[in-house]
Amino acid sequence: MENSFSRREFIKVSALTTAGVVAANTGIFATPHGDPNFKLPPILYDFKALEPHIDAMTMEIHYSKHHQGYVDNLNKLCSDMHIHDPNLENILKMVSKFPQGVRNNAGGHWNHSMFWTIMKPNGGGVPKGKLLEAINASFESFEKFKELFANEAKNRFGSGWAWLIKNSEGKLQICSTPNQDNPIMDLAEVKGNPILCLDVWEHAYYLKYQNKRVDYITNWWNVVNWDMVAGRFSI
Ligand code: MN3
């Protein structure tokens, strides 16, 4: 993809992505003020905690190699571009202004940071309250929603992610993105605030499931942290 990143644009983007200009850095998706390095967020359960649905070795490699790689690459890119104190969400919202490497690695860092939080041991079951009401209103039933979401995940060709998002009208919508793109990005086909995500890159399931992406998706429902999803929906 052609990406013209002129000095003028660079200065503009640098200014806008510096936390002090646009917004204060928040939570795990931002670096502490004055610290140019993004860091891996902690996972609040053991690598083996999601077994038998997701195996410990997949979790360990996925987190400490793949996710760490996105973080390291992003830090290097920000450093090379002299973007200090970067804000990840602001970068994603204007990612079309950045080189492809920023799109891949900023997306990779954000997507995985969310992914670890919407899973938990002994998860699964059925969401409750307003989230369940919204799912029923948008997709007829929870079972129908699961079927539609699983189809989106299954049919995403190659590497990518499936998403449940809350769109600008506050409605729930299912979509998917290629590579490490996400619905926050300005160049996303379908935009909104992600409340649930599923990584369908082969690195997320190949050790245990090999080519059987459908089995991975089917078993993944057993580790979904619906309280976290409901929390994201309520914002
Ligand atoms: Mn992944």
Side-chain angles (χ1 to χ4, degrees):
M1 177 189 289
E2 169 129 2
N3 201 322
S4 56
F5 197 68
S6 68
R7 173 147 183 86
R8 194 170 54 81
E9 275 200 320
F10 165 74
I11 292 167
K12 192 171 72 185
V13 167
S14 295
L16 285 170
T17 52
T18 297
V21 175
V22 170
N25 278 334
T26 52
I28 58 169
F29 298 130
T31 63
H33 187 74
D35 182 350
N37 292 314
F38 289 107
K39 292 187 174 61
L40 271 185
I43 300 185
L44 303 178
Y45 44 83
D46 292 341
F47 292 140
K48 64 178 187 305
L50 304 183
E51 289 191 346
H53 312 295
I54 299 179
D55 62 288
M57 185 172 282
T58 294
M59 279 298 297
E60 182 170 359
I61 294 172
H62 201 175
Y63 175 75
S64 59
K65 304 292 183 197
H66 291 279
H67 191 172
Q68 182 73 62
Y70 300 122
V71 170
D72 292 345
N73 291 336
L74 180 59
N75 284 333
K76 169 102 174 48
L77 287 160
C78 285
S79 168
D80 289 349
M81 292 187 294
H82 305 286
I83 296 176
H84 304 294
D85 202 10
N87 180 291
L88 188 51
E89 294 207 2
N90 290 340
I91 290 173
L92 296 175
K93 285 174 186 168
M94 59 174 82
V95 83
S96 63
K97 307 282 187 202
F98 286 89
Q100 183 72 33
V102 172
R103 176 176 171 180
N104 294 340
N105 291 288
H109 180 33
W110 195 95
N111 297 350
H112 288 88
S113 297
M114 174 174 168
F115 188 50
W116 312 131
T117 69
I118 56 86
M119 298 190 290
K120 68 171 187 177
N122 305 312
V126 178
K128 298 187 282 257
K130 287 199 159 40
L131 175 59
L132 181 59
E133 283 170 27
I135 287 174
N136 288 337
S138 299
F139 310 109
E140 292 180 22
S141 68
F142 179 58
E143 285 311 310
K144 185 72 184 169
F145 155 72
K146 280 174 71 177
E147 185 188 323
L148 293 169
F149 186 92
N151 281 339
E152 189 77 32
K154 180 183 78 179
N155 294 328
R156 165 50 58 186
F157 184 76
S159 300
W161 292 75
W163 305 92
L164 176 63
I165 62 167
K166 192 166 147 184
N167 67 23
S168 57
E169 294 165 356
K171 296 262 164 51
L172 291 178
Q173 208 174 336
I174 293 166
C175 63
S176 66
T177 53
N179 305 314
Q180 295 295 354
D181 287 0
N182 66 43
I184 298 174
M185 292 181 172
D186 58 352
L187 39 68
E189 229 170 273
V190 180
K191 292 190 196 61
N193 285 325
I195 66 167
L196 178 68
C197 62
L198 174 57
D199 187 342
V200 293
W201 282 57
E202 281 188 344
H203 69 223
Y205 62 87
Y206 200 85
L207 288 181
K208 181 176 173 69
Y209 295 97
Q210 292 83 48
N211 60 318
K212 298 188 278 287
R213 184 189 286 190
V214 170
D215 291 355
Y216 160 66
I217 296 166
T218 302
N219 288 339
W220 172 76
W221 292 113
N222 294 310
V223 296
V224 172
N225 183 344
W226 285 111
D227 290 337
M228 185 61 74
V229 180
R232 298 186 70 98
F233 175 68
S234 70
I235 295 170

